[in-house]
Amino acid sequence: MAKKFNTKTHLIHDRNSRGRTQIGWLDSYHTFSFGGFYDPERLGFRSLRVINDDRVAPGAGFPTHGHRDMEILTYVLEGALEHKDSLGTGSVIRPGEAQIMSAGRGIMHSEFNHSPSEPVHFLQIWIIPEKQGLKPRYEQKSFSIEERTGQLRLIAAHDARDGAVKVYQDVDLYTSILQPGNKINYHAQPNRYTWLQVANGIVNLNGEELRAGDGVEIDDEIDLEITTNVGGEILLFDLG
């Protein structure tokens, strides 16, 4: 269950209340309702529909399956994920890379752990597109560890500015790796909505401790201060 943070419009979605799927080769935590997990308080946030925290065993993965009318972002935290799709795309996604697939009017794809010996850990993010029936597409870009450390780096945006991948929705997605002692400030704008996802480590948001798997929804104007004493990695969504 979500718990209150600061005011009634700030909610922490606790990591321990996420759904979970375990099927041998896959260990997946679901921030929002997904598959067999349903929580009426976790149906998504604005256009953000899915954040799955997936660990896939060596050599295993998701066989070919289809999607429609969804923007699907993959963000690898550890290891390497192999992707193939019906557009003819074949790629390997590694930490520091942003991959997006617009399912649009229909696409088939598969995802497998690229390594025969090491696990892969990644976040799969689904965003509802601004309209249905878009032409399917694939895009992948790399962002250095230097430009992601101690500061927010834009990795996905509707206007694809600053080298970000394009997403067909009014969303700016930032990521950051925080070292002990780092501090990040962000102003949540009026008439915008913010979601903070802790991907790794432990961070503090305006003095509130958050751990890997926690998510925070913010739907009013506020100054955010993100700090850490031990290190962490975050994703910050600025949503229309």
Side-chain angles (χ1 to χ4, degrees), residues 34-83:
F34 183 86
F37 168 62
Y38 177 77
D39 183 339
E41 293 187 3
R42 289 177 175 259
L43 299 178
F45 181 63
R46 304 295 293 176
S47 60
L48 187 56
R49 178 60 189 85
V50 167
I51 302 177
N52 285 347
D53 189 334
D54 292 344
R55 288 174 171 82
V56 174
F62 301 92
T64 301
H65 59 284
H67 295 284
R68 295 182 65 89
D69 294 319
M70 196 66 67
E71 298 288 279
I72 300 175
L73 282 146
T74 300
Y75 187 78
V76 174
L77 298 166
E78 183 180 9
L81 187 69
E82 185 173 351
H83 167 96

Side-chain angles (χ1 to χ4, degrees), residues 9-30:
T9 55
H10 294 66
L11 294 175
I12 295 177
H13 290 259
D14 189 89
R15 62 196 178 279
N16 295 317
S17 62
R18 293 178 295 173
R20 190 177 187 181
T21 298
Q22 289 179 293
I23 52 173
W25 57 270
L26 172 67
D27 190 3
S28 178
Y29 286 92
H30 315 305

Side-chain angles (χ1 to χ4, degrees), residues 68-136:
R68 295 182 65 89
D69 294 319
M70 196 66 67
E71 298 288 279
I72 300 175
L73 282 146
T74 300
Y75 187 78
V76 174
L77 298 166
E78 183 180 9
L81 187 69
E82 185 173 351
H83 167 96
K84 293 182 180 179
D85 62 42
S86 54
L87 300 176
T89 307
S91 67
V92 177
I93 311 157
R94 294 183 169 86
E97 297 178 332
Q99 178 252 41
I100 188 166
M101 183 179 71
S102 295
R105 54 181 177 260
I107 195 168
M108 303 292 290
H109 81 133
S110 63
E111 295 171 298
F112 278 83
N113 188 339
H114 183 62
S115 172
S117 58
E118 300 295 329
V120 62
H121 179 200
F122 62 97
L123 299 181
Q124 186 166 106
I125 299 154
W126 294 10
I127 295 170
I128 300 169
E130 59 193 358
K131 62 181 179 180
Q132 295 186 341
L134 293 167
K135 181 180 179 181

Side-chain angles (χ1 to χ4, degrees), residues 144-152 175-184 200-204 226-234:
S144 71
I145 193 168
E146 290 78 15
E147 59 187 322
R148 294 181 292 121
T149 299
Q151 59 188 341
L152 291 173
T175 186
S176 182
I177 297 170
L178 288 87
Q179 303 292 341
N182 284 165
K183 179 173 70 173
I184 290 174
N200 275 317
I202 304 172
V203 303
N204 290 283
I226 304 163
T227 60
T228 181
N229 294 320
V230 299
E233 186 168 1
I234 60 168

